[in-house]
Amino acid sequence: MNNCLSLRRHNVCMVSDFFYPNMGGVESHIYQLSQCLLEKGHKVIIMTHFYGDRKGVRYLTNGLKVYYLPFPAFYNQCILPTIYITFPLVRNILIKEQITIVHGHSAFSTLAHETMFHARTMGLKTVFTDHSLFGFADASSILTNKILQFSLADCNHVICVSHTSKENTVLRAGLDPKEVSVIPNAVDATMFVPDPSKRHPGKITVVVVSRLVYRKGMDLLAGIIPDVCQTHPDVQFIIGGDGPKRILLEEVRERHELHDRVKMLGLLEHRKVRDVLVQGDILINTSLTEAFCIAIVEAACCGLQVVSTKVGGVPEVLPPDLIYLAEPNDQSLREELERAIADKRAGRNVPPFMAHNRIKLLYTWRDVAHRTERVYKRVADLVERETKERLSRYYSCGPLSGKLFVIAAVLNIWFMCFLQIFQPRQKIEISPELQRSHILKSNANQKNSKEEQRSQKRTLLECEDSLTNGTSSKILRRSNRKRTKSKEEL
């Protein structure tokens, strides 16, 4: 069956407002999944809005094609929701690239929802991955949930990153649980490798790598830092990240005179996260809501013990001996952090490289790509829904909102007919494909040459070690004989 999966080729469009050069969990997920799908022989492109001077078409590693569309960010790095303005350009790209499956990411992404809506109007299959948890009571959550219900009413399949996230999404969007799969995030274990030599001797370093916002529990962090520093003189904090709550943390540091104990690094690029993590002994995550939390997996992969709030999908992520779970309040977090500090002093924590090897086997992007590939096969085999069934799905979203959704869907169908008249599908030029086999082969050759260089270096190092340890006296005697012989000849 796996061979059948790998033989079937899909043309996939990953779409989200969040992508490189912006860095985060969603961005990393899209990039790593796309690379693994390319490796499996599928065609993958990415669609996002422009960032600064990064506009038009760009190519990333292994020929990954990215469309930076000319739509500016309106709020929180998302484009202005217009529904119809994006249709002409999106339709042109989907036809040009011969896309068969549109894969949207993040419930916050306006571009993802609009592109999936247009794709269903064009008769393409759609998949959506939800990376977040939402509430049900506040006004913003109610509005977001209603938009999500509209977007997923006609979606072919939904993926969530944890079982808790699945329950949340099913309730928010009113979905059939059979149409929702759970595929967790993963970590690049070759990038997040422990390095105990970077740790601070005589100190216990607690690391925080997060966006400094309310949802990430920065108020809780500000409440426990002074008490922990007062109780444990050998504990220091390194905080990486930026956001509106940074001012609060700086005020706490200033008020309690902790400039030498609390280091603020500001905004971090993703490639520098590992350099920060390997300096720490413990990572603390104070999130108030979390679907998966890739940060704690990266920290455990670097050999850190993890202290985290027991919220959302966090309890599903790590084995019990790698994480200390606390309730989302000051007292519980402080107690669990002090327990982790005591275990660190007593040497009861899991050795860094042992933790790394366990995480490396638990979470791999190739496994995520394989499971996503199975979803694509299932979606591709589905019978296309008729227009009447699509409209009935929108109509069932609510007594008032359902009627509005039906009107929006009908207008989108008319708009597509209008575009077909003025820009027929037959006149849109098909984009030529790169010879990905040559790209992958050259990358493999480069990888093999690097491995050969590493093996040569290891051999040289082993020879040097053997010489210094006196275990190769024969080699030394042979070299001495050669020297004396050359001197006699001279």
Side-chain angles (χ1 to χ4, degrees):
M1 186 173 180
N2 293 345
N3 293 332
C4 295
L5 283 173
S6 60
L7 289 173
R8 184 164 187 176
R9 187 174 185 269
H10 303 286
N11 294 349
V12 183
C13 175
M14 301 282 181
V15 55
S16 179
D17 281 295
F18 310 103
F19 192 64
Y20 180 82
N22 187 52
M23 297 307 299
V26 177
E27 294 84 349
S28 176
H29 183 105
I30 295 172
Y31 176 79
Q32 296 287 356
L33 176 59
S34 299
Q35 290 294 338
C36 290
L37 290 172
L38 284 174
E39 192 179 72
K40 284 176 167 285
H42 302 289
K43 177 179 178 178
V44 183
I45 68 166
I46 295 174
M47 203 184 295
T48 186
H49 64 77
F50 74 90
Y51 283 88
D53 59 348
R54 188 172 286 267
K55 303 176 182 177
V57 180
R58 300 290 182 98
Y59 286 90
L60 304 183
T61 308
N62 294 332
L64 179 59
K65 193 174 186 179
V66 184
Y67 283 88
Y68 289 95
L69 306 184
F71 304 125
F74 172 69
Y75 174 73
N76 198 21
Q77 298 178 355
C78 296
I79 67 169
L80 178 69
T82 58
I83 302 181
Y84 304 109
I85 291 178
T86 56
F87 196 6
L89 184 55
V90 166
R91 172 180 176 269
N92 188 287
I93 294 171
L94 295 179
I95 294 173
K96 180 185 292 187
E97 298 292 343
Q98 297 180 300
I99 298 300
T100 56
I101 297 174
V102 173
H103 191 160
H105 292 264
S106 182
F108 293 106
S109 176
T110 306
L111 183 61
H113 294 309
E114 291 191 5
T115 303
M116 289 167 59
F117 181 51
H118 301 324
R120 293 299 300 127
T121 303
M122 296 172 62
L124 304 178
K125 303 298 173 59
T126 58
V127 177
F128 177 75
T129 297
D130 196 358
H131 296 263
S132 305
L133 295 177
F134 288 89
F136 298 89
D138 58 289
S140 62
S141 295
I142 293 171
L143 179 61
T144 305
N145 293 343
K146 184 55 70 175
I147 293 172
L148 189 69
Q149 186 181 18
F150 166 59
S151 179
L152 301 186
D154 192 34
C155 183
N156 296 109
H157 202 82
V158 177
I159 297 172
C160 294
V161 293
S162 67
H163 292 280
T164 304
S165 176
K166 176 180 176 178
E167 293 177 8
N168 183 264
T169 303
V170 166
L171 291 173
R172 284 159 49 213
L175 298 172
D176 182 355
K178 295 178 182 178
E179 296 179 354
V180 185
S181 300
V182 176
I183 303 177
N185 277 314
V187 64
D188 186 357
T190 60
M191 182 177 180
F192 293 91
V193 181
D195 188 358
S197 65
K198 298 294 184 182
R199 294 182 176 179
H200 302 268
K203 296 280 187 180
I204 296 178
T205 304
V206 181
V207 176
V208 179
V209 178
S210 171
R211 293 194 302 275
L212 307 184
V213 295
Y214 172 77
R215 189 175 70 86
K216 293 294 184 178
M218 290 302 110
D219 297 277
L220 295 176
L221 181 65
I224 66 172
I225 284 178
D227 294 339
V228 172
C229 288
Q230 184 178 3
T231 309
H232 305 278
D234 59 340
V235 172
Q236 63 179 2
F237 287 80
I238 297 178
I239 302 174
D242 202 0
K245 289 294 181 179
R246 179 174 179 171
I247 298 173
L248 173 64
L249 295 173
E250 289 178 343
E251 286 177 352
V252 169
R253 184 176 65 167
E254 184 76 27
R255 188 183 311 121
H256 295 275
E257 299 180 354
L258 297 173
H259 292 83
D260 58 331
R261 307 277 299 279
V262 180
K263 187 176 182 181
M264 305 285 292
L265 301 179
L267 186 63
L268 289 176
E269 296 180 16
H270 191 256
R271 60 187 176 87
K272 294 182 179 178
V273 170
R274 184 257 177 187
D275 297 333
V276 176
L277 289 175
V278 294
Q279 299 178 44
D281 303 284
I282 300 167
L283 177 122
I284 184 167
N285 170 53
T286 57
S287 294
L288 302 178
T289 175
E290 203 73 67
F292 183 85
C293 192
I294 191 67
I296 64 176
V297 181
E298 293 172 348
C301 198
C302 287
L304 281 72
Q305 288 294 118
V306 177
V307 178
S308 176
T309 46
K310 189 178 180 180
V311 296
V314 170
E316 304 175 28
V317 178
L318 293 177
D321 58 336
L322 294 180
I323 187 169
Y324 299 81
L325 293 172
E327 297 300 325
N329 58 66
D330 293 1
Q331 182 180 353
S332 182
L333 265 171
R334 186 169 56 251
E335 289 174 356
E336 292 301 320
L337 180 56
E338 289 181 341
R339 193 159 69 90
I341 292 169
D343 288 347
K344 170 63 181 174
R345 290 197 184 107
R348 291 192 293 264
N349 52 350
V350 179
F353 284 98
M354 185 182 293
H356 172 79
N357 291 330
R358 290 172 64 183
I359 297 299
K360 182 171 65 175
L361 297 175
L362 282 174
Y363 297 108
T364 65
W365 283 113
R366 284 185 174 86
D367 179 57
V368 172
H370 175 70
R371 294 164 74 172
T372 306
E373 195 178 26
R374 295 176 69 90
V375 171
Y376 290 163
K377 180 184 181 300
R378 177 180 173 180
V379 165
D381 292 338
L382 292 175
V383 179
E384 179 58 31
R385 295 169 185 151
E386 296 181 358
T387 303
K388 183 179 179 181
E389 184 183 354
R390 289 187 62 226
L391 296 179
S392 67
R393 282 173 167 263
Y394 289 127
Y395 189 80
S396 62
C397 290
L400 176 61
S401 57
K403 295 180 177 65
L404 295 176
F405 295 161
V406 168
I407 293 171
V410 171
L411 289 175
N412 210 43
I413 294 171
W414 288 350
F415 193 16
M416 185 183 67
C417 296
F418 175 81
L419 291 173
Q420 180 62 25
I421 294 171
F422 288 90
Q423 191 183 26
R425 175 187 287 265
Q426 297 79 8
K427 291 188 178 181
I428 298 176
E429 185 180 358
I430 302 302
S431 177
E433 293 190 30
L434 291 174
Q435 295 295 326
R436 301 186 189 280
S437 58
H438 296 302
I439 296 172
L440 294 173
K441 186 182 288 186
S442 64
N443 289 342
N445 292 334
Q446 291 177 3
K447 187 177 180 181
N448 292 333
S449 63
K450 288 180 180 179
E451 288 179 354
E452 289 176 2
Q453 291 175 3
R454 291 194 196 101
S455 64
Q456 290 174 1
K457 286 181 180 179
R458 281 196 296 269
T459 306
L460 289 171
L461 288 172
E462 288 173 1
C463 291
E464 289 176 2
D465 291 340
S466 63
L467 288 170
T468 53
N469 294 331
T471 57
S472 58
S473 57
K474 291 182 180 179
I475 298 173
L476 285 169
R477 285 198 297 271
R478 194 180 298 118
S479 62
N480 288 333
R481 281 197 220 103
K482 287 181 179 179
R483 285 177 192 157
T484 53
K485 189 176 180 180
S486 61
K487 286 180 180 178
E488 288 173 0
E489 290 176 354
L490 287 171

